[in-house]
Amino acid sequence: MKLEGVELRRVALPLVTPFRTSLGTQTVRNALLVRVATDEGEGWGECVAEDEPTYCPEYLEGAADVIRRFLVPALFPVDLDPAAVTPALHHLRGHPMAKAAVEMAVLDAWLRARGVSLAAYLGAVRRSLPVGVSVGITDTLDDLLDTVDRHLAAGYARVKLKIEPGWDVEPVARVRETFGADVMLTVDANTAYQPGDAAHLTRLDAYGLAMIEQPFAPDDLHAHARLAAMMSTPICLDESITSARDAVTAIRQGACSIINIKPGRVGGYLEARRIHDVARAHGLPVWCGGMLETGLGRAANLALAALPGFTLPGDISATARYYERDITAPFTLADGELAVPAGPGIGIAPEPSSLEALTTATEWIPAP
Ligand code: NPQ
Ligand code: MG
């Protein structure tokens, strides 16, 4: 398959409610879409980098720049298939989210041309999945309880609370007290704690959490391993894991017993599957993280999360949890589950009128 040109498209999707984490508050999702045009048809990818480099070092305009100036030019001469993308970009350091977006678009085009779904290609074993919801930090505890109540009524299988110093034990205690022992409850700190906070964090053991996600800095595996030895609550790593090799290192050090897999963070769906494979070989459960994706990224994440090792509900919520209007048809919960797209490629494409209405800029990168 030969690349003939690439369109970079910025879209702006207002969030239904502001999303506050220990990293900051988001009110609109500015997303970067990558459409590859090839001699076998087109494909769509999505770059999950945020406006600002807070979750990780990448940011949206930086990702657009590296895609335009380095990634796309490196792919024009290549005889493309999905597995050819990473090797062709290997000499370019870092930028996993930019690389993942390009790989996703190539996967979509290549699989679409062959009539194969991404789910089937990756090795999916389920047609629909129970999913979870990520709940931001709220102004008051009452707001939090109302929000959790709404999500549980909608049928979500797991609730994740964002935490930070000053918003941890009390919200967790109130949610547990209010909704009972049967709710699968987790917390995510997005690196907001210091190693010296470990003793404080052990207080969360009293509330039967399914995990605590990424309390410490991405590069501090030792602090996570130490906390794991102090707590009965399982430790899950997100920001720390950027490759299958990282996953092996973290597992060997005892720094985590669960891994959050985000294809963007690890450089693509194929590396995401490798992390799934090594975690499974070590007996660790994994789940699919979320980056406030549009329907394109959501569709591809559902395909990944249908693999057998994804035994915990992911941050793949229904469209309505995030957006009033998306660029694709909405994903809706049925009996607490989302359907895994079964059509060729990622199984969904933008709806032209919504895409048009939400687009803020487009740019065409022609073949040389
Ligand atoms: C996480 N996501 O698991 C992330 C972090 C995160 C759904 O909890 C804009 C776009 C803002 C993506 C803030 C969820 C974001 C973002 C936080 C992702 O750590
Ligand atoms: Mg996280």
Side-chain angles (χ1 to χ4, degrees), residues 251-294:
I251 294 167
R252 289 220 177 111
Q253 291 191 20
C256 65
S257 52
I258 300 175
I259 296 174
N260 165 336
I261 301 181
K262 291 177 180 166
R265 194 191 67 228
V266 306
Y269 284 86
L270 300 186
E271 187 69 8
R273 182 173 58 182
R274 280 179 214 113
I275 297 176
H276 159 272
D277 294 348
V278 301
R280 197 157 181 243
H282 284 85
L284 267 73
V286 301
W287 54 278
C288 184
M291 290 294 289
L292 317 194
E293 288 86 353
T294 74

Side-chain angles (χ1 to χ4, degrees), residues 26 50 134 160 162 188 190 213 238 262 290-292:
Q26 202 81 23
E50 295 177 65
S134 178
K160 162 167 134 180
K162 291 292 186 177
D188 184 1
N190 288 113
E213 182 178 343
D238 173 351
K262 291 177 180 166
M291 290 294 289
L292 317 194

Side-chain angles (χ1 to χ4, degrees), residues 79-277:
D79 181 17
L80 281 176
D81 63 63
V85 177
T86 295
L89 304 179
H90 187 70
H91 62 293
L92 301 165
R93 283 196 194 277
H95 301 284
M97 289 178 173
K99 290 174 176 174
V102 172
E103 186 205 67
M104 177 179 160
V106 169
L107 268 166
D108 186 39
W110 193 83
L111 291 170
R112 219 172 261 281
R114 283 155 186 76
V116 176
S117 70
L118 179 62
Y121 177 77
L122 292 174
V125 295
R126 289 176 294 175
R127 274 198 268 271
S128 74
L129 311 168
V131 291
V133 62
S134 178
V135 178
I137 295 165
T138 51
D139 288 340
T140 69
L141 287 167
D142 284 339
D143 288 350
L144 179 70
L145 298 177
D146 286 347
T147 306
V148 171
D149 190 41
R150 249 188 319 109
H151 292 316
L152 290 175
Y156 286 105
R158 181 225 67 190
V159 171
K160 162 167 134 180
L161 306 181
K162 291 292 186 177
I163 59 169
E164 64 184 7
W167 182 267
D168 45 35
V169 175
E170 199 184 358
V172 167
R174 289 292 303 278
V175 169
R176 185 54 93 201
E177 230 165 73
T178 308
F179 301 101
D182 292 343
V183 172
M184 193 194 298
L185 192 62
T186 76
V187 294
D188 184 1
N190 288 113
T191 75
Y193 292 87
Q194 300 297 320
D197 296 324
H200 170 74
L201 290 170
T202 63
R203 293 176 58 197
L204 293 170
D205 272 343
Y207 305 101
L209 298 177
M211 73 193 80
I212 173 170
E213 182 178 343
Q214 198 72 46
F216 306 124
D219 59 357
D220 200 349
L221 291 182
H222 180 258
H224 289 96
R226 190 170 147 268
L227 183 66
M230 293 168 69
M231 284 188 92
S232 58
T233 305
I235 310 296
C236 172
L237 290 177
D238 173 351
E239 286 89 331
S240 292
I241 307 296
T242 64
S243 65
R245 189 196 290 158
D246 281 355
V248 171
T249 304
I251 294 167
R252 289 220 177 111
Q253 291 191 20
C256 65
S257 52
I258 300 175
I259 296 174
N260 165 336
I261 301 181
K262 291 177 180 166
R265 194 191 67 228
V266 306
Y269 284 86
L270 300 186
E271 187 69 8
R273 182 173 58 182
R274 280 179 214 113
I275 297 176
H276 159 272
D277 294 348

